Amino acid sequence: MYEHLAQAPDIENLEHQGYVTLALGEPACALIDEIAELTLTFFRQDDEVKSADSIRHLHEGWQPFGGEFSITPDRPDLHESFWVTRRNATRAAATYSSMGRALHAKMVQHLSIMQHLEADITRDIRRHLGLEDVKESAIDGPLDADLQVLYYQPQRQHRDLLQDEHEDGLYMTLTWADSPGLEILGPNGVFHGLSQGRGRVSVLPGEILSLMSGCRIKPMIHRVRRHAEQLERLSINYFAVPDLDRSADIEKWIACPQHGAVSVADRIRHNRSQFLVQ
Ligand SMILES: [Fe+2]
């Protein structure tokens, strides 16, 4: 139980303050340090070199600047990224350069740690919601998951927001960053910065978790503000969503009168098709 954390999180915060912050144990912190060091070396290369480590049809490896968006393709997110997906990671590994392969291998390790944490969090959410006796569903098994490292160069940009406000449309996001910028929408309707730093991973619920929980847990709306003094900013983001290959439909844990007619599987399919510039 929470073998990768320094202390167990207070899961009630997901319902009452909208997010919860995890304190990673030292081995998981050290792995992030290694990923950050490799990532900075990787992203500082020329685009032509990085493109050799890009497998776009698999959503694996390097994605160039402006390849994703939060709300509209007219306002791309102002970062580059490196992706590892649970689905394609093994297939992708063989094609990378030595640097791409080294980064990929560390990211696969981090993805695995985040998957364990996500399963522990789900168990505690179910306990918090009083669902121990409610039938498990596809969401209680291994989920589909991606890990992305995002690389920003805030000083080179001009917009106030490096990512516009959005919610991730998934089940759960676990996010870490090396410096400030992430802001979340508080219950008073005001955005405020989330404290990040070494060993601190924030759990942000998405729409799918909200639907599963009968809307007791709300999707967390967030954005990334530009801090002009930052030359570089890294974030590492784990995104999880139920695997529709394992189950054609997903029964909600708690029915929600407001969204009773919404199919969880349909929302997953719809949300999955968003956010990428073609
Ligand atoms: Fe996001």
Side-chain angles (χ1 to χ4, degrees), residues 44-273:
R44 288 169 182 164
Q45 302 176 108
D46 291 340
D47 282 5
E48 198 179 322
V49 177
K50 288 183 276 194
S51 65
D53 286 325
S54 181
I55 317 171
R56 298 192 74 168
H57 68 285
L58 293 181
H59 295 157
E60 279 278 338
W62 181 63
Q63 303 284 326
F65 182 84
E68 296 152 63
F69 61 92
S70 297
I71 300 294
T72 163
D74 302 337
R75 280 180 60 90
D77 296 341
L78 301 180
H79 57 65
E80 304 171 35
S81 59
F82 195 100
W83 292 39
V84 168
T85 68
R86 188 185 66 87
R87 196 176 289 270
N88 295 318
T90 307
R91 254 203 303 170
T95 73
Y96 288 130
S97 69
S98 59
M99 183 182 295
R101 201 172 308 130
L103 175 56
H104 177 267
K106 295 292 177 188
M107 287 178 67
V108 168
Q109 283 181 40
H110 185 69
L111 177 70
S112 170
I113 290 173
M114 294 296 109
Q115 279 191 297
H116 280 105
L117 282 173
E118 165 234 295
D120 287 342
I121 293 165
T122 292
R123 180 204 60 229
D124 279 1
I125 290 173
R126 287 175 55 89
R127 190 175 294 158
H128 166 67
L129 296 174
L131 299 172
E132 286 102 328
D133 298 329
V134 174
K135 181 169 75 78
E136 294 196 350
S137 69
I139 211 151
D140 301 294
L143 303 195
D144 203 7
D146 301 337
L147 189 73
Q148 293 179 22
V149 179
L150 305 184
Y151 175 67
Y152 300 86
Q153 293 177 290
Q155 205 171 81
R156 288 193 181 184
Q157 305 305 326
H158 302 287
R159 281 179 12 198
D160 288 342
L161 296 178
L162 300 172
Q163 274 192 11
D164 291 328
E165 67 181 74
H166 65 285
E167 67 95 7
D168 290 334
L170 303 170
Y171 173 67
M172 187 185 292
T173 298
L174 304 180
T175 182
W176 169 90
D178 66 352
S179 45
L182 178 64
E183 296 182 345
I184 60 167
L185 185 62
N188 55 359
V190 176
F191 278 95
H192 60 89
L194 207 52
S195 169
Q196 297 192 279
R198 192 167 193 272
R200 292 175 68 83
V201 167
S202 300
V203 181
L204 307 183
E207 181 188 25
I208 303 307
L209 174 52
S210 186
L211 289 171
M212 293 300 293
S213 69
C215 304
R216 280 179 59 180
I217 295 172
K218 302 288 187 293
M220 176 52 80
I221 294 173
H222 55 282
R223 65 189 187 185
V224 179
R225 174 165 298 284
R226 184 172 79 95
H227 289 246
E229 74 283 4
Q230 293 171 356
L231 281 175
E232 297 173 301
R233 177 179 186 272
L234 285 179
S235 71
I236 306 179
N237 303 284
Y238 169 85
F239 302 112
V241 68
D243 187 348
L244 293 179
D245 286 351
R246 293 178 52 240
S247 176
D249 201 6
I250 294 165
E251 200 176 329
K252 295 167 193 146
W253 294 324
I254 302 173
C256 170
Q258 209 182 340
H259 296 102
V262 178
S263 153
V264 173
D266 285 350
R267 291 309 299 172
I268 292 169
R269 283 189 203 97
H270 174 266
N271 293 348
R272 267 292 192 189
S273 66

